[in-house]
Amino acid sequence: MVKLAELPQEELFTSGHRLCAGCGPAVAMRIMTKALRGPTIITTSTGCVEVGSTIYPYTCWNIPWVHSAFENAASTAAGIEGALKALSRRGIINEKIDIVAIGGDGGTFDIGLQALSGALERRHDFLYVCYDNEAYMNTGVQRSGATPYGASTTTSPAGRAIPGKLVWKKNIAAIAAAHGVPYVATASIAYWNDYISKVRRGLEVDGPAFVHVYAPCPLGWRIPSEATIQLAQLAVQTRVFPLYEIIDGRYVLSLDIPKPKPVEEYLKIQGRFKHLFTPECRGEVDVIQADVERRWAALKKLCSQ
């Protein structure tokens, strides 16, 4: 774990962006840049971070940065890696340059999954960071493949017909690990030193790495701006979002939660789950609690092997 005093003073994700007050992805970006170890090129797909941090002619990235379309952050990173290899072979550059691709949950779980899969399968040497705020937040809070069961969004509105989204969130870390890549990890902005350590490990491995960072959204989750870190912490403490690593296929739990808080504590302070506490939908909380426990048991089993 890194210590606070060890963090670099230099800010590579600077102030002046247009992201919301209390924006979890903005916190995720600032923390992530503290883990960078040297020359780095970042590419970011369209999403909250991209549109909020690079409104022309301004940028808050104090580092070489490339905009990618919604679907191809991983492809762009692969292209950058290939270009750097070519320059190295010609003797034009002689230093290691890290490459970081960034995508939101929509650009990773859904639209960019094909490009991500291809880049991981081809073993391009880059780190992919997925900031997960669990919906398409900058285009109107539509549900994504990362949106949890029971959440009310503009395309899965809770009402008489459905109690919010009816299917479970994709296990994107397992999908990335299934490619046989050397490093996959989950992280939370509430556990900044764990997150920084994992970003650094992802940069240090030889080959592709994937870090899935949990980043609450006050707008879409309908929470106060000051509750962002509290929600990120509660997600871990209720086992909703476990922290772990997958190193060369071996699962390692980063933080055990022997006495979890009930998932209700996490759900009840979010407006997107408000309907679950009505008499008609109250049973859905128990369904979610049971799924959290089932997934935690499965993770613990994987970590014990």
Side-chain angles (χ1 to χ4, degrees):
M1 293 288 185
V2 297
K3 298 178 181 177
L4 192 61
E6 297 171 347
L7 296 182
Q9 295 291 315
E10 183 182 19
E11 298 290 352
L12 300 179
F13 187 78
T14 66
S15 59
H17 56 70
R18 312 293 176 85
L19 293 159
C20 301
C23 173
V27 177
M29 294 303 105
R30 188 182 179 199
I31 296 175
M32 182 269 295
T33 59
K34 296 295 182 183
L36 302 183
R37 59 178 179 174
T40 305
I41 298 174
I42 291 178
T43 181
T44 307
S45 66
T46 299
C48 290
V49 166
E50 181 271 325
V51 300
S53 66
T54 58
I55 297 177
Y56 183 82
Y58 306 106
T59 180
C60 66
W61 292 97
N62 192 21
I63 191 171
W65 180 91
V66 181
H67 173 224
S68 303
F70 224 145
E71 69 278 13
N72 61 2
S75 298
T76 304
I80 294 170
E81 189 224 22
L84 293 176
K85 281 183 176 177
L87 292 173
S88 180
R89 284 196 298 269
R90 296 172 188 174
I92 298 174
I93 61 172
N94 56 12
E95 62 180 342
K96 169 67 174 163
I97 299 176
D98 291 327
I99 305 161
V100 180
I102 297 168
D105 51 281
T108 305
F109 285 64
D110 302 333
I111 303 172
L113 186 58
Q114 183 179 14
L116 174 62
S117 177
L120 296 180
E121 186 269 337
R122 294 190 302 270
R123 295 294 187 271
H124 290 284
D125 187 6
F126 74 109
L127 168 65
Y128 192 103
V129 176
C130 171
Y131 66 92
D132 182 6
N133 55 16
E134 299 193 320
Y136 292 84
M137 298 305 186
N138 70 304
T139 55
V141 195
Q142 298 93 349
R143 58 89 93 189
S144 77
T147 303
Y149 177 91
S152 181
T153 71
T154 53
T155 50
S156 60
R160 293 181 179 177
I162 58 171
K165 189 184 175 189
L166 290 175
V167 293
W168 299 99
K169 176 175 185 161
K170 292 181 187 176
N171 187 343
I172 193 68
I175 293 172
H179 291 77
V181 299
Y183 188 75
V184 175
T186 64
S188 166
I189 59 172
Y191 297 83
W192 60 268
N193 47 3
D194 175 72
Y195 174 34
I196 287 177
S197 297
K198 288 171 174 174
V199 171
R200 177 58 69 90
R201 288 187 196 117
L203 292 170
E204 291 174 347
V205 299
D206 184 16
F210 182 87
V211 173
H212 176 199
V213 59
Y214 200 66
C217 168
L219 173 67
W221 297 20
R222 286 180 266 160
I223 58 173
S225 298
E226 63 272 20
T228 299
I229 300 300
Q230 177 193 1
L231 258 295
Q233 193 173 44
L234 268 175
V236 175
Q237 294 175 345
T238 56
R239 298 177 174 172
V240 167
F241 192 84
L243 301 181
Y244 59 95
E245 297 172 289
I246 309 172
I247 305 169
D248 293 324
R250 181 172 58 88
Y251 279 71
V252 180
L253 195 64
S254 306
L255 180 64
D256 198 4
I257 309 293
K259 296 181 180 178
K261 296 181 177 179
V263 73
E264 181 175 334
E265 287 192 28
Y266 167 77
L267 299 174
K268 68 183 179 183
I269 56 178
Q270 301 180 57
R272 61 178 177 160
F273 295 118
K274 182 179 179 181
H275 57 285
L276 298 183
F277 295 92
T278 61
E280 298 79 19
C281 299
R282 188 62 179 80
E284 298 297 335
V285 176
D286 298 331
V287 171
I288 294 171
Q289 181 70 63
D291 182 69
V292 167
E293 293 172 3
R294 179 191 62 78
R295 289 187 291 108
W296 177 264
L299 176 62
K300 290 281 282 188
K301 185 177 181 180
L302 287 168
C303 292
S304 66
Q305 294 174 351

